[in-house]
């Protein structure tokens, strides 16, 4: 009997069990926290780590973890419930647009116009997502685009991995090379007590070279799949994926009428409004959810759907992404188990001890890898910045390394693992949408992750050597 790689849900549950088990082994500890007025948050103080009373997590806590991933039962504060609800609403929105026939007609018209030139969508779209990543840390906001782009890539002769890679790796390399990202660069720089423009040139170089490397990697894979579909890492799902994502479009392709063009225009404006709202107006999941509820109603009216067609499509679309919403909550619950078990700060303190006595080049590369490991534990870029920069930045002064390089090492590390980390709801949710198993995604991304890591380490080392 052939062993089958476990599902995303099983992977996350097993990781939750593992973290709960570690709370019985790893000593509990906490840093003293002090309010940072610039950040508006409490940050840990260097040298203040102390052991505290253990709070080992048991069976009840493991079973409560998915629930606590949604919200804090004691205070009713939201955790991942807003993102999960947003995903359900996006599912409904996409289903309403699909019901009008506009997406099918638009894909058919796009494929006809790009006949023979489909591959150039890859660098253009990866560039757009990279811009979103570097400017404002685009992550959760990418989730709606998977249901739109994956069918286009499959219709163009590629596979679902190409569609997932364009978005996830594109936005990921943008976050990795964050230049002015307020949720990573600015918060980390403030926590390190430096101007966020310090180190801008190095981050821009990482962004450009990293984007170029990723584009070449994805384009080579895409071309290989197009020439030989059996080379796809998800070839065994080819027929199922075509049926799922294309809905047998080859049998009956709807015409791109004026009404459907209007629907697609509203569709595009909705996403443009989303980007503007997040980057300029301070919107987040509640406002974005309201935006797509309103857009669904407008599209239903313009697309001449009946009341039952509109509501049934919306509900069925939300149902299709229910599994994704659950994955996001389960991933967040894993982090809650660690925090409640008081081992997150202990792991950070262990990392602090590893850095003592290293020379400049060894120090900056050690920072990179420590942050990469910690990112698996704290997948939030802003959370990781607030937690680690007040500890790591002062240590750089003793090693003769500029604090801006510590910030760059942090964001390069926090951007890269978010392409593959199983504790990220965005990663696991996107893979669920694309119907890509985690094992297939690792096979695809690990060589690229290795190449980008080498690139970043070389650039960090050169910056230290010539500073």
């Amino acid at each position: 009997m052939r062993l089958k790689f476990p599902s995303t849900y099983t992977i996350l549950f097993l990781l939750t069990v593992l973290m709960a088990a570690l709370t019985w082994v790893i000593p509990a500890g906490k840093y003293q926290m002090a309010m940072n007025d610039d950040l508006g948050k409490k940050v840990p103080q260097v040298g203040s780590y102390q052991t505290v009373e253990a709070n080992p997590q048991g069976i009840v806590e493991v079973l409560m973890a998915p629930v606590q991933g949604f919200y804090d039962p004691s205070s009713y504060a939201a955790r991942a419930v807003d993102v999960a609800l947003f995903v359900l609403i996006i599912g409904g929105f996409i289903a309403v647009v699909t019901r009008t026939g506009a997406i099918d007609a638009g894909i058919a018209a796009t494929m006809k116009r790009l006949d023979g030139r489909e591959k150039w969508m890859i660098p253009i779209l990866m560039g757009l997502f990279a811009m979103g990543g570097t400017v404002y840390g685009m992550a959760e906001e990418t989730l709606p685009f998977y249901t739109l782009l994956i069918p286009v890539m499959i219709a163009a002769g590629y596979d679902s991995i190409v569609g997932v890679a364009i978005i996830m790796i594109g936005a990921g390399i943008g976050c990795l090379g964050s230049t002015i990202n307020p949720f990573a660069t600015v918060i980390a720089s403030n926590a390190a007590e430096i101007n966020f423009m310090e180190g801008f040139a190095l981050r821009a170089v990482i962004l450009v070279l990293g984007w170029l490397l990723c584009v070449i990697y994805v384009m080579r894979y895409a071309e290989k799949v197009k020439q030989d579909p059996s080379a796809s890492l998800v070839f065994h799902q080819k027929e199922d994926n075509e049926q799922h994502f294309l809905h047998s479009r080859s049998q009956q392709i709807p015409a791109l009428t004026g009404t459907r063009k209007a629907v697609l225009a509203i569709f595009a404006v909705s996403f443009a409004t989303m980007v503007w709202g997040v980057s300029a107006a301070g919107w987040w999941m509640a406002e974005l959810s309201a935006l797509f509820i309103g857009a669904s109603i407008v599209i239903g009216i313009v697309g001449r759907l009946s009341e039952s067609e509109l509501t049934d499509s919306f509900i069925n679309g939300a149902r299709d992404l229910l599994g994704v919403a659950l994955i996001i909550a389960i991933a967040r619950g894993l982090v809650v188990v660690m925090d409640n078990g008081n081992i997150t700060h202990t792991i950070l303190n262990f990392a602090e001890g590893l850095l003592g006595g290293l020379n400049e080049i060894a120090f900056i590369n050690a920072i990179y890898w420590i942050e990469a490991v910690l990112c698996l534990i704290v997948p939030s870029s802003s959370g990781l910045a607030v937690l680690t920069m007040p500890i790591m930045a002062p240590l750089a002064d003793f090693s003769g390394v500029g604090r801006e390089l510590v910030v760059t090492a942090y964001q390069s590390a926090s951007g890269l693992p978010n392409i593959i980390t199983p504790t990220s709801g965005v990663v696991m949710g996107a893979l669920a949408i694309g119907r890509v198993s985690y094992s297939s995604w690792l096979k695809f991304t690990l060589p690229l992750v290795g190449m980008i890591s080498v690139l970043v380490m070389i650039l960090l080392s050169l910056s230290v050597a010539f500073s």
Side-chain angles (χ1 to χ4, degrees), residues 231-261:
S232 168
L233 293 174
V234 290
F235 177 69
H236 61 287
Q237 301 170 217
K238 187 176 187 297
E239 292 184 4
D240 286 344
N241 281 348
E242 289 175 352
Q243 177 65 29
H244 177 79
F245 289 110
L246 301 183
H247 305 292
S248 300
R249 288 188 177 94
S250 59
Q251 298 177 11
Q252 185 178 1
I253 300 175
L256 188 59
T257 62
T259 297
R260 292 189 175 113
K261 288 180 180 178

Side-chain angles (χ1 to χ4, degrees), residues 72-115:
D72 184 348
S74 60
S75 65
Y76 295 100
R79 282 179 173 142
V81 66
D82 53 349
V83 178
L85 179 60
F86 173 65
V87 167
L88 295 179
I89 290 172
I90 281 296
F93 170 74
I94 296 295
V96 170
V97 179
T98 301
R99 185 65 176 265
T100 67
I103 290 181
D104 289 6
I107 288 175
T110 301
M111 291 302 98
K112 184 176 181 180
R113 180 170 296 183
L114 290 173
D115 186 27

